[in-house]
């Protein structure tokens, strides 16, 4: 891209980035993928939660922003071949508009801006693995939004945002928007089973606050016993604390999963018993002197009506979960207000 065309490097405008791998956002340490389970590595390639945040000039506010990008295009036999690429414009108060483009390997999308300076957030079509190549203001300049506290959130498909209808509707995005924080979404669908390599990566990642929300896949995908769940939680927290000894950390135990609550897995553990083991491990660490650790019990945060498929929240469920996390962080004194 030539400077004469007015294209700006997207790097300073990107938010929600865990790591960069050859210029592409990556949600696990690219230098440490060999120790990760295959499914974690696969999900880490999707730029979930990565977005652009910017303001416009005070004297000459831009009327629109153009974004140049590359994204995956389904093949001719793919059931999703006609699915448009959607870009959503938000501020902290809510959705300002959406623009949809036809699938193309490389394209430019134009998004009209309302009067004002912002800051504005653009959520790209993250499921199509977009690579943002540049952006420019139309009618006025753009500047990166001010830096915000960096909140690293680790979890499974619920954290990744499954069954939310838009990237901005998943609970980490909802909570981060309410708090004014820079949410880094490290949710791995099908994974997040307390892998200790992930804990070590979290320990090395810069963060002003941390939230852990895993456990439901410890009932099903890789079954845990109750003692194993307790020790896994203790070990995971210990490794994270080696890199973040005083960073505010909230652990959210698994939310309601009706089919698993009283059903033993292959090692005889129900999800209810695994949840209890996780919560006991957190409580024991708090009793042992970890003053910067808090627990949000997940069992009663959602009802069956908030689950789209008996496991993943619908948009209303994600909104409730995000609000519950915000409330828990504030009650623990982790937000500074």
């Amino acid at each position: 891209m030539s400077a004469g065309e007015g294209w700006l490097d997207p790097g300073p405008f990107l938010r929600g980035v865990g790591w960069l791998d050859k210029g592409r956002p990556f949600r696990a340490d690219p230098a440490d993928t060999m120790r990760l389970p295959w499914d974690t590595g696969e999900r880490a390639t999707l730029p979930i939660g990565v977005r652009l945040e910017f303001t416009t000039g005070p004297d000459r506010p831009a009327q629109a922003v153009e974004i140049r990008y590359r994204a995956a295009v389904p093949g001719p036999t793919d059931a999703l071949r006609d699915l448009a690429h959607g870009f959503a414009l938000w501020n902290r108060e809510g959705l300002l508009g959406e623009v949809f483009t036809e699938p193309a390997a490389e394209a430019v999308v134009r998004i009209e801006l309302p009067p004002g300076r912002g800051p504005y957030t653009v959520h790209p079509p993250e499921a199509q693995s977009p690579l943002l190549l540049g952006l420019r203001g139309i009618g006025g300049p753009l500047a990166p939004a001010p830096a915000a506290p960096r909140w690293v959130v680790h979890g499974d498909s619920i954290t990744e945002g499954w069954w939310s209808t838009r990237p901005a509707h998943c609970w980490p995005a909802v909570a981060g928007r309410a708090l004014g924080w820079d949410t880094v979404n490290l949710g791995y669908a099908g994974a997040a089973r307390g892998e200790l390599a992930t804990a070590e990566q979290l320990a090395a990642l810069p963060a002003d606050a941390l939230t852990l929300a895993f456990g439901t896949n410890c009932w099903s995908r890789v079954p845990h016993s109750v003692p194993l769940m307790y020790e896994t939680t203790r070990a995971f927290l210990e490794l994270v604390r080696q890199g973040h000894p005083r960073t505010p950390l909230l652990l959210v135990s698994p939310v309601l999963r009706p089919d698993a609550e009283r059903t033993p897995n292959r090692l005889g553990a129900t999800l209810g018993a695994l949840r209890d083991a996780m919560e006991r491990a957190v409580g024991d660490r708090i009793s042992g002197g970890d003053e910067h650790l808090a627990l949000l019990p997940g069992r009663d945060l959602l009802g069956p009506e908030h689950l789209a498929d008996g496991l993943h929240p619908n948009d209303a469920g994600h909104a409730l979960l995000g609000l519950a996390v915000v409330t828990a962080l504030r009650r623990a004194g982790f937000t500074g207000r």
Side-chain angles (χ1 to χ4, degrees), residues 25-52:
F26 203 67
R27 297 188 306 118
D29 185 351
D32 190 31
T33 56
M34 293 299 292
R35 294 195 304 144
L36 297 175
W38 177 86
D39 50 8
T40 302
E42 282 293 297
R43 301 309 298 182
T45 64
L46 288 175
I48 303 298
V50 176
R51 59 209 182 274
L52 294 166

Side-chain angles (χ1 to χ4, degrees), residues 120-164:
Y120 300 111
T121 299
V122 173
H123 291 269
E126 58 188 27
Q128 279 74 49
S129 300
L131 177 61
L132 304 177
L133 303 174
L135 73 162
R136 61 186 177 187
I138 304 301
L142 304 178
R150 182 175 163 90
W151 180 37
V152 175
V153 185
H154 168 62
D156 47 40
S157 56
I158 296 172
T159 297
E160 194 179 86
W162 277 38
W163 288 104
S164 62

Side-chain angles (χ1 to χ4, degrees), residues 289-307:
D290 193 334
E291 298 177 353
H292 303 279
L293 176 64
L295 170 69
L296 176 58
R299 168 62 178 80
D300 297 325
L301 298 179
L302 303 178
E305 69 276 15
H306 301 125
L307 304 177

Side-chain angles (χ1 to χ4, degrees), residues 70-166:
R70 295 192 187 113
V73 178
T77 61
D78 195 304
L80 302 178
R81 63 186 178 277
D82 297 323
L83 184 65
H85 291 165
F87 291 78
L89 178 70
W90 284 73
N91 61 15
R92 287 190 65 182
E93 282 68 49
L95 175 67
L96 300 174
E98 293 180 295
V99 176
F100 296 92
T101 64
E102 294 300 318
E106 184 169 324
V108 174
V109 61
R110 178 184 174 112
I111 303 170
E112 301 297 326
L113 300 177
R117 294 195 58 200
Y120 300 111
T121 299
V122 173
H123 291 269
E126 58 188 27
Q128 279 74 49
S129 300
L131 177 61
L132 304 177
L133 303 174
L135 73 162
R136 61 186 177 187
I138 304 301
L142 304 178
R150 182 175 163 90
W151 180 37
V152 175
V153 185
H154 168 62
D156 47 40
S157 56
I158 296 172
T159 297
E160 194 179 86
W162 277 38
W163 288 104
S164 62
T165 57
R166 296 288 191 276

Side-chain angles (χ1 to χ4, degrees), residues 202-228:
L202 293 174
L205 195 62
D208 297 302
L210 293 155
T211 293
L212 308 177
F214 64 90
T216 193
N217 289 328
C218 297
W219 176 78
S220 53
R221 295 275 293 197
V222 177
H224 283 47
S225 66
V226 170
L228 178 58

Side-chain angles (χ1 to χ4, degrees), residues 58-70:
D59 301 322
R60 193 162 54 94
Q63 284 81 55
V65 58
E66 288 188 341
I67 301 168
R68 187 176 177 185
Y69 71 98
R70 295 192 187 113

